[in-house]
Each structure stands twice: as structure tokens, then as C-alpha cells.
Amino acid sequence: MGSLFASGSINKGSERDFQCDLAFILGNELFLCELKAFSQPTTHRGFYELLGKKEEATLQLQSISKFYSENLNLVRSQLGVLDSWSPRKIYKLLIVTTPVGVSRKVNDTFIIDYSAFSMFITRTKPGLTAISKRLHIEFNVFPEFNGEITTEKFIKFLKKPVQVEFEKKRRKQISKGIKYGNFNVKIFDYTTKFDDKISQDDENAKKLILKIGRNVFKSKRRRKR
């Protein structure tokens, strides 16, 4: 694992620098990653500008991936692997600071936020916290978080991020009616069923726990501070 840096060209173009922020080998696959620190948007315009920034970053990574796929000797030397090594497949991954609300793949590039990525790498399982009992409920129903990290588990996680699935279950769609001149306009919005930290008496939380199944998670007492 490490970063890559070299100068060269693709498609017989002019020479320039190609820097890959993070590259690592998992199994026999090579992952090339672009890291971006984007600020969290607070407006609709900011949200769409963020989408544009992400797409621009995937195009940047696309050229980086093409260069290193055509110059694997540079990858081997900089990552310190055998000269005979060759990846079975190369994956592109954009890791951003802003939370990812949907599972997205742009320009053949997976997009994930750093928080979710780090939780997967450290094998930190998702769960719920009951404040009244100082109890943390750790869900044990996601096989991609169990055991050693493999390419199959990682790709499954990238295609269907657990935090996105939980967020979908945590929210519900509502409709609002507003007056615009002589027209009554109905718009749709989303609200949370319960917060990240919940009371053990929260009925919505109980329903979620029961839906997942009491026999498939384990609980741990949190240490008193």
C-alpha cells in the first residue's frame, strides 16, 4: 500500500505528472484511489456543484488508471512487489470526506466516503446505541464485516454500502403542501424516524431491531467514562 508518482504520457500526448494518492493490492487485484476533501454542501446549488466535482475527480482518476495500467513496472517498483506480478483486475475508487448518501459508480469508479471506508478496513460493524442503558448494539448480520478482508467482500460493500442502507431505513418520505400564488403545490421531503443515538424506549428503533432479528446481533456494554 502506498502512493504512486511518475511522469509520462498517454495516447502519445505531452508528458505530465501522474500521481495516485493511494494504491493497494487486495488478493490479486489492484485498487487505485483518488482522495478528495470536499466540504459538505448546505444548499441545492452546492449539492449539484459537489456532484460535478466528483465527476471531475473520476475523470482525473481515469487517466491516472490508464497510465499505470500501461506502465505496471512503475506500480511493481513503487509498491515493492515481484517483477512477475500482474493484477487480475484494476479497480478505481474515489474516497471523499463528505458522506455518500447513495451507492454510485461514475465513469467506472466507485465512490465512497472516508468514514465508511475506514470502518470497513478496521472491521468496525454498524450498530445502534441505547443511551439509557449505555448499551451499544453491534449488528452481526453483514458478512462483509466478518473475518479477513477479501476483494469479494470489499466490492460487495462498495456496491451496497451498509451506512446507505441504514440511512434509508432511518428516514421516511413526507409530503408538504405550500401555497404559490393561486396554486397549491405539493412537494416531497424526507424526515428521520429516529436519531443515530436512540432511547431504548423508542418504538421505531425497536421495530428496526426486531426486523433485523434479535438472534443475529450481539451487544456490548460500553465503558463508563
Side-chain angles (χ1 to χ4, degrees):
M1 176 184 291
S3 59
L4 303 174
F5 182 83
S7 297
S9 63
I10 54 177
N11 298 328
K12 297 182 180 180
S14 58
E15 185 170 303
R16 64 182 182 87
D17 294 337
F18 291 89
Q19 179 174 345
C20 180
D21 296 328
L22 176 66
F24 62 91
I25 298 169
L26 183 57
N28 198 34
E29 284 78 25
L30 175 64
F31 288 82
L32 300 178
C33 310
E34 180 74 13
L35 311 181
K36 290 295 184 182
F38 297 133
S39 57
Q40 180 67 24
T42 57
T43 64
H44 290 90
R45 179 175 180 175
F47 173 77
Y48 283 106
E49 287 177 347
L50 177 60
L51 292 179
K53 291 177 181 178
K54 289 180 180 179
E55 184 170 1
E56 183 179 343
T58 63
L59 292 174
Q60 179 182 345
L61 183 56
Q62 203 170 44
S63 63
I64 292 171
S65 176
K66 180 175 176 57
F67 173 76
Y68 284 108
S69 65
E70 295 174 350
N71 297 275
L72 288 173
N73 59 306
L74 297 174
V75 178
R76 298 186 191 103
S77 62
Q78 295 189 40
L79 292 186
V81 295
L82 296 175
D83 292 340
S84 59
W85 178 82
S86 183
R88 182 166 49 197
K89 187 172 182 179
I90 298 177
Y91 290 98
K92 299 187 292 293
L93 179 62
L94 172 61
I95 304 174
V96 297
T97 50
T98 51
V100 172
V102 294
S103 176
R104 297 193 68 212
K105 194 176 184 183
V106 179
N107 295 320
D108 201 35
T109 300
F110 289 106
I111 301 178
I112 195 71
D113 59 72
Y114 172 76
S115 176
F117 176 76
S118 61
M119 287 182 69
F120 178 84
I121 297 299
T122 58
R123 320 307 280 148
T124 303
K125 299 175 184 177
L128 296 174
T129 301
I131 298 176
S132 60
K133 298 294 183 180
R134 301 186 66 84
L135 188 68
H136 178 67
I137 300 170
E138 187 179 76
F139 294 119
N140 201 33
V141 294
F142 304 101
E144 57 268 38
F145 279 87
N146 293 326
E148 65 176 343
I149 298 175
T150 64
T151 301
E152 291 74 20
K153 292 177 184 178
F154 190 39
I155 296 302
K156 180 180 179 181
F157 170 74
L158 292 174
K159 287 182 176 179
K160 197 172 183 180
V162 173
Q163 83 279 8
V164 173
E165 297 306 306
F166 265 99
E167 189 66 16
K168 288 179 179 179
K169 291 181 175 63
R170 197 167 70 89
R171 295 184 180 274
K172 63 180 178 180
Q173 189 183 74
I174 59 173
S175 61
K176 297 178 180 179
I178 61 173
K179 189 78 172 177
Y180 185 76
N182 296 324
F183 300 94
N184 292 316
V185 181
K186 181 179 287 187
I187 61 174
F188 294 96
D189 199 356
Y190 288 88
T191 185
T192 55
K193 297 178 183 177
F194 51 83
D195 203 351
D196 291 320
K197 290 188 176 181
I198 59 173
S199 166
Q200 195 172 20
D201 299 324
D202 192 309
E203 290 299 323
N204 287 314
K206 285 183 179 179
K207 290 178 182 178
L208 177 60
I209 294 172
L210 288 171
K211 183 176 180 180
I212 294 176
R214 291 184 180 277
N215 61 331
V216 290
F217 64 79
K218 60 182 180 180
S219 60
K220 293 182 178 180
R221 290 282 178 181
R222 299 183 70 185
R223 292 181 181 179
K224 294 183 178 180
R225 297 181 178 179

